[in-house]
Amino acid sequence: MQINNEFKPKIVAFCCNWCSYAGADLAGTNRLNYPADVKIIRVPCSCRVNPMFILRAFQRGADGVIICGCHPGDCHYTSGNYYARRRITLLFSMLDYLGIERERTRLEWVSAAEGAKFSATMNEFAETIIKLGENKRLEDLRCKAE
Amino acid sequence: MQRIGVFVCHCGTNIAGTVDVKAVAEALKNEQGVVFSTEYQYMCSEAGQSIIKNAIKEHKLTGVVVCSCSPRMHEATFRKTASSAGLNPYMVEIANIREQCSWIHKDMEKATEKAIILGRAAIAKVHLNAPLTAGESPVVKRALVIGGGIAGIQTALDIADAGFEVDIVEKKPTIGGKMTQLDKTFPTLDCAACILTPKMVDCAQNEKIKIYSYSEVESVSGFVGNFSVKIRKKARYVDETKCTGCGLCTEKCPMKKVPNEFNLGMNNRSAIYIPFAQAVPKIATIDPDHCNMLKNGKCGVCAKICTAGAINYKQEDEIVEEKYGAIIAATGYNPINLDKYDEFAYSQSKDVITSLEFERLTNAAGPTSGKLLRPSDGVHPHTIVFVQCVGSRCGAEDSKGGKSYCSKICCMYTAKHAMLTREKYPDTDVYVFYIDVRTPGKNFDEFYRRAAEEYGVHYIKGMVGKVMPQADGKLLVQGSDLIAGEQLKINADLVVLAAAIEPDKSARPLATMLTASMDTNDFFTEAHPKLRPVESPTAGIFLSGACQGPKDIPETVSQASAAAAKAIGLLCKDKLTCNPCVAHSDEMMCNGCSQCEKVCPYGAISYEDKEFRMPNRTTAIRRVAKVNPAVCQGCGACTVTCPSGAMDLNGFSNRQIMAEVDAICR
């Protein structure tokens, strides 16, 4: 347990500009805490998230990657989150094979009005990652940046 | 190599309270390419902006990173600042260290560390930014208002006043909306019809306004300044150009047992009908579900007696296609369905009614000609119980379809109902059960106090537990008085429920067509609750009235005019600058496979045959994708779909996002 307390996971969150990024802003406006380990990258739509970005994050040492988009049916671009759902689900199904526990990834729908959900999701996800510990299975294969 | 300047904002103590801004500026100074780094109390202020401008000039910056609030807040501000100092506005990146850092973290050390990492990611991104130039697209100088209630009417009149053409699409046979059903309006008690019907007539007579009544929006395509909308004009089986609205057909129609929706089913109308005497347009409509001629070909009375020859049983739906520069949603509200509220016996007793039904019962043009009579037996009620918050302010997990929000108008209209009842029938006892009485508004509290103090309305703080219909026709109301701390039993003649209001059912499919966002209650979301309250986050879509949230009439009208002003601001422009963050295709890599075309929601991608020079001095013609930058909205669906990696997105390129990932994981 002592090790877990010191472990600071690296969590990358891809958030779509219209719903989830605004939801994250709302979490901020309402001062709803979540761990500082979560760092958000803004993308126009969840469909902009290339599976490559997720693999890149793990390759560079991320311990968890979460993708947030508008709720199905609410995409600002009509259908982007449906594409994201298909692509990401497919990628997730292959992660174990690549040496990354599947629990290190998640796809969530967070609307611009759901600041509380954003914060709750991030808290829960960070907790899962802390339980899983460092992303070690990939370590030996990982290409270090330098 | 970029020359990057970093500007860290304190935002008073909003950021500086939990983030050591000096340490952030200092740490980011050491990043590759950073030639200048500073912090200031308010970067968005004039003084702050001049720090940025001076640094751009002095240090010949090619890229700017501002560590401040959300880019949704001030990205545009800082882009303008850069632009005025001669730097391309798209060379600015924002690190969100307020909403996504200082406001959510309490630990200074952790927050500072995170702010530095977010700053690094922005620096890494700006390294790969390229100057972008916004294109231009023309503006169609015509607006569409969806919904013809008081909100839509006011918006249309204001836009028409400014000299622009405007069309109203209303799904009912007449414009006017809910307000036509009201009797008097709070807090002035002027009659709703007297203030609304002249505006309806103004709409009809204004040559800039075209009303599509009994019509619905079928599809919307295009983008701000250039929407293309298909409108379905439903068949009313009456020639609009010929009908004079004399009403003879409605009198002679033998099918007279159709529940009258205008009076909420409290009396009947004929199968061919004009909703009410002041309808605009005043044209008869045949209800195809009840007309004998349309159902089984046996009747035809209306066609025989119509002197204008306006009846046409063979009329079909017509699709009209129009172009618009701006669209205003004004779809309004409805009271929620109370069928599941068994405790109030709404579906069991005719004498348990909603406030809107009460409104019709007291309206001079209503089913009882304005006499307050019990719906069950037509007797004057002597004890009336009003129940507030029926379906409003419920928990999030309400199984009966209740809403978590306050419906806002109920306290005031109930005070009005109670006051008017006591004034007209002083022999009537009036009880109001409430959770809280909410009266924020000009002259609202004075109005409520008048009801309670001068008119002797019994206000009881507490909820009604059960309404039990008795054998003698009375309604036994069981409730609690929280202030006296006792249970009450009232033998009432009439129970009036203040049903929560919810957005019209048509709003959700419409929002999907408009790609406008909605909240969990299906109210349209505004771009910013304080700074852009009447605009949807989707460019060119504006919000008017209760479709954005519960509102009373004064508020609705102000918002309607505000939405009109915003739409006029758009229509005044001849050209709009487009978002330059659009997709582009690398012709050398594209193999013309058509995958991107299939996922593009806007049809922005087409193909062209291009001649390429091959290594052996020959030429070959290849099919390659081409993005129309005026149509592309920059979602990026194509960039991920492209199997050869030829598609990329300006402002959010593969390399930029990967650089951010790298910086965060460093």
Side-chain angles (χ1 to χ4, degrees):
Chain A
M1 281 313 279
Q2 216 178 346
I3 305 160
N4 279 357
N5 283 343
E6 284 171 6
F7 169 52
K8 269 199 223 157
K10 285 179 185 165
I11 299 172
V12 180
F14 290 99
C15 290
C16 86
N17 181 41
W18 303 96
C19 288
S20 309
Y21 195 88
D25 278 355
L26 185 64
T29 312
N30 294 343
R31 312 293 196 275
L32 301 168
N33 275 48
Y34 55 87
D37 308 317
V38 178
K39 315 279 188 311
I40 296 170
I41 295 180
R42 184 164 71 128
V43 286
C45 175
S46 49
C47 73
R48 177 67 189 96
V49 180
N50 199 317
M52 217 159 58
F53 302 159
I54 301 166
L55 294 178
R56 173 80 158 212
F58 284 122
Q59 186 193 25
R60 292 293 159 117
D63 299 299
V65 177
I66 181 164
I67 298 101
C68 300
C70 309
H71 282 271
D74 286 354
C75 177
H76 178 79
Y77 304 102
T78 333
S79 50
N81 50 2
Y82 294 128
Y83 295 128
R85 183 164 64 182
R86 285 192 172 197
R87 287 169 190 157
I88 307 281
T89 311
L90 197 62
L91 174 78
F92 285 0
S93 70
M94 291 188 284
L95 283 181
D96 271 321
Y97 173 74
L98 295 172
I100 301 156
E101 291 98 334
R102 207 171 150 176
E103 296 74 33
R104 295 191 184 278
T105 51
R106 196 179 288 184
L107 181 63
E108 279 287 345
W109 311 128
V110 180
S111 82
E114 292 175 331
K117 184 180 176 186
F118 186 85
S119 149
T121 306
M122 290 306 153
N123 276 313
E124 203 191 320
F125 187 60
E127 213 173 284
T128 314
I129 299 300
I130 288 172
K131 264 190 209 144
L132 281 171
E134 235 178 306
N135 184 14
K136 272 214 168 117
R137 267 170 69 186
L138 198 63
E139 198 175 76
D140 298 334
L141 309 166
R142 195 192 298 159
C143 322
K144 290 275 185 196
E146 256 70 38
Chain B
M1 189 69 195
Q2 304 270 29
R3 293 175 61 81
I4 297 167
V6 177
F7 303 88
V8 185
C9 180
H10 298 207
C11 196
T13 55
N14 279 312
I15 294 171
T18 30
V19 170
D20 184 348
V21 281
K22 287 206 166 65
V24 174
E26 203 54 43
L28 295 178
K29 208 172 255 177
N30 304 323
E31 288 296 304
Q32 197 194 4
V34 175
V35 293
F36 180 75
S37 175
T38 188
E39 24 76 37
Y40 183 68
Q41 231 166 8
Y42 294 103
M43 263 320 160
C44 58
S45 68
E46 211 184 320
Q49 290 190 45
S50 44
I51 292 176
I52 301 179
K53 282 187 221 169
N54 292 338
I56 291 174
K57 286 177 195 151
E58 203 177 308
H59 297 275
K60 298 193 177 59
L61 300 182
T62 59
V64 166
V65 168
V66 188
C67 301
S68 61
C69 52
S70 172
R72 294 167 57 87
M73 191 79 159
H74 277 313
E75 189 173 54
T77 315
F78 293 123
R79 278 182 175 166
K80 256 187 225 157
T81 314
S83 173
S84 68
L87 185 67
N88 184 286
Y90 293 90
M91 297 306 291
V92 176
E93 287 295 333
I94 311 285
N96 185 344
I97 61 164
R98 192 178 76 171
E99 279 85 345
Q100 294 177 7
C101 186
S102 71
W103 274 356
I104 39 167
H105 307 313
K106 291 194 181 103
D107 186 316
M108 187 116 179
E109 196 187 326
K110 278 187 184 164
T112 307
E113 193 188 320
K114 179 172 176 178
I116 293 171
I117 294 174
L118 292 177
R120 266 187 207 151
I123 293 167
K125 188 178 181 192
V126 105
H127 266 292
L128 300 163
N129 276 22
L132 301 174
T133 320
E136 281 183 332
S137 68
V139 178
V140 179
K141 301 207 171 262
R142 190 187 186 96
L144 172 67
V145 176
I146 303 169
I150 179 63
I153 289 173
Q154 186 64 42
T155 304
L157 285 172
D158 286 354
I159 294 175
D161 265 354
F164 294 104
E165 295 199 20
V166 48
D167 295 358
I168 301 177
V169 172
E170 167 58 52
K171 66 177 175 182
K172 300 237 173 77
T174 171
I175 59 168
K178 287 284 170 307
M179 194 173 163
T180 54
Q181 292 171 294
L182 307 184
D183 179 34
K184 293 197 166 60
T185 55
F186 62 78
T188 45
L189 295 182
D190 38 5
C191 107
C194 319
I195 49 181
L196 176 63
T197 48
K199 278 192 187 282
M200 291 161 65
V201 175
D202 282 352
C203 272
Q205 290 175 347
N206 195 315
E207 53 185 26
K208 296 273 184 196
I209 300 179
K210 189 169 177 186
I211 300 171
Y212 288 100
S213 60
Y214 208 50
S215 303
E216 283 177 46
V217 172
E218 185 86 356
S219 71
V220 179
S221 60
F223 49 93
V224 54
N226 204 350
F227 293 105
S228 182
V229 180
K230 282 191 181 139
I231 300 164
R232 176 181 292 271
K233 287 179 76 180
K234 292 182 277 186
R236 65 203 310 164
Y237 306 102
V238 173
D239 190 332
E240 284 177 32
T241 54
K242 289 184 186 158
C243 177
T244 58
C246 69
L248 196 60
C249 52
T250 65
E251 282 165 33
K252 299 287 181 204
C253 175
M255 180 61 207
K256 287 211 161 45
K257 291 248 167 89
V258 187
N260 186 352
E261 50 280 85
F262 186 70
N263 284 329
L264 302 156
M266 287 192 289
N267 68 352
N268 291 332
R269 61 162 168 82
S270 45
I272 185 165
Y273 66 107
I274 296 172
F276 55 96
Q278 295 80 22
V280 170
K282 200 170 179 187
I283 300 169
T285 304
I286 298 182
D287 180 345
D289 297 334
H290 295 96
C291 171
N292 283 332
M293 188 66 188
L294 289 171
K295 267 164 56 188
N296 44 36
K298 286 180 193 145
C299 184
V301 170
C302 48
K304 275 177 217 140
I305 58 137
C306 180
T307 47
I311 310 290
N312 174 9
Y313 297 116
K314 294 210 168 75
Q315 202 176 60
E316 284 178 2
D317 287 7
E318 191 189 335
I319 305 278
V320 187
E321 192 162 356
E322 283 282 0
K323 292 253 179 205
Y324 300 100
I327 298 179
I328 298 97
T331 46
Y333 74 95
N334 275 311
I336 63 164
N337 187 326
L338 294 180
D339 286 349
K340 284 189 183 163
Y341 284 81
D342 283 335
E343 66 266 40
F344 300 126
Y346 177 71
S347 44
Q348 293 149 37
S349 171
K350 274 187 159 180
D351 297 332
V352 180
I353 59 174
T354 65
S355 299
L356 195 55
E357 286 165 349
F358 187 86
E359 201 76 52
R360 294 309 300 153
L361 283 183
T362 52
N363 191 309
T368 56
S369 308
K371 287 192 201 79
L372 181 55
L373 303 172
R374 296 211 311 180
S376 63
D377 52 11
V379 174
H380 168 63
H382 289 280
T383 308
I384 305 179
V385 172
F386 288 90
V387 185
Q388 298 283 273
C389 297
V390 178
S392 295
R393 306 174 68 191
C394 298
E397 307 284 316
D398 188 87
S399 60
K400 296 174 195 157
K403 308 292 174 187
S404 56
Y405 51 85
C406 165
S407 296
K408 203 170 187 178
I409 56 175
C410 325
C411 287
M412 284 306 289
Y413 70 57
T414 299
K416 172 191 77 178
H417 289 160
M419 187 190 283
L420 290 174
T421 307
R422 289 283 297 162
E423 183 176 71
K424 234 170 161 184
Y425 311 99
D427 59 333
T428 311
D429 274 330
V430 177
Y431 298 88
V432 178
F433 281 89
Y434 67 95
I435 306 178
D436 296 295
V437 177
R438 296 183 164 175
T439 53
K442 195 174 173 182
N443 294 329
F444 282 15
D445 202 58
E446 293 88 328
F447 184 86
Y448 148 66
R449 283 212 306 271
R450 236 167 75 209
E453 289 160 15
E454 284 176 36
Y455 286 84
V457 176
H458 307 296
Y459 269 84
I460 302 164
K461 188 176 174 75
M463 269 310 276
V464 167
K466 208 165 173 54
V467 176
M468 286 168 284
Q470 305 292 299
D472 61 353
K474 291 249 181 188
L475 297 159
L476 182 64
V477 180
Q478 255 182 3
S480 47
D481 183 336
L482 292 180
I483 292 174
E486 59 187 24
Q487 292 293 314
L488 292 180
K489 277 187 184 165
I490 299 169
N491 238 336
D493 299 309
L494 189 67
V495 172
V496 185
L497 307 176
I501 62 174
E502 63 179 357
D504 192 82
K505 291 272 180 283
S506 63
R508 169 66 61 177
L510 180 68
T512 309
M513 280 189 250
L514 297 173
T515 65
S517 48
M518 288 195 132
D519 64 18
T520 42
N521 293 311
D522 279 8
F523 285 113
F524 281 95
T525 315
E526 60 284 349
H528 189 283
K530 297 178 193 83
L531 303 178
R532 294 169 67 199
V534 300
E535 295 159 76
S536 159
T538 307
I541 311 289
F542 303 92
L543 311 173
S544 174
C547 67
Q548 182 256 344
K551 273 182 199 66
D552 57 32
I553 296 167
E555 264 189 296
T556 297
V557 173
S558 352
Q559 202 199 12
S561 289
K566 284 286 171 190
I568 294 164
L570 168 62
L571 297 174
C572 280
K573 292 183 183 138
D574 290 323
K575 291 225 148 98
L576 287 177
T577 49
C578 321
N579 170 21
C581 293
V582 292
H584 59 90
S585 155
D586 183 337
E587 288 169 350
M588 297 309 286
M589 285 165 93
C590 175
N591 64 8
C593 71
S594 306
Q595 292 297 320
C596 52
E597 186 197 8
K598 282 180 201 144
V599 296
C600 179
Y602 302 98
I605 300 171
S606 58
Y607 290 87
E608 62 176 3
D609 290 322
K610 262 204 142 173
E611 206 175 288
F612 287 91
R613 223 177 253 185
M614 304 304 276
N616 52 357
R617 295 181 183 236
T618 56
T619 55
I621 292 176
R622 255 192 321 122
R623 202 174 90 107
V624 291
K626 199 175 147 220
V627 180
N628 179 351
V631 181
C632 176
Q633 298 292 299
C635 67
C638 54
T639 59
V640 186
T641 301
C642 180
S644 44
M647 275 286 176
D648 212 345
L649 188 63
N650 290 341
F652 293 95
S653 70
N654 288 330
R655 289 184 63 209
Q656 282 175 312
I657 297 175
M658 295 240 236
E660 281 183 273
V661 169
D662 289 1
I664 288 174
C665 297
R666 209 183 329 159

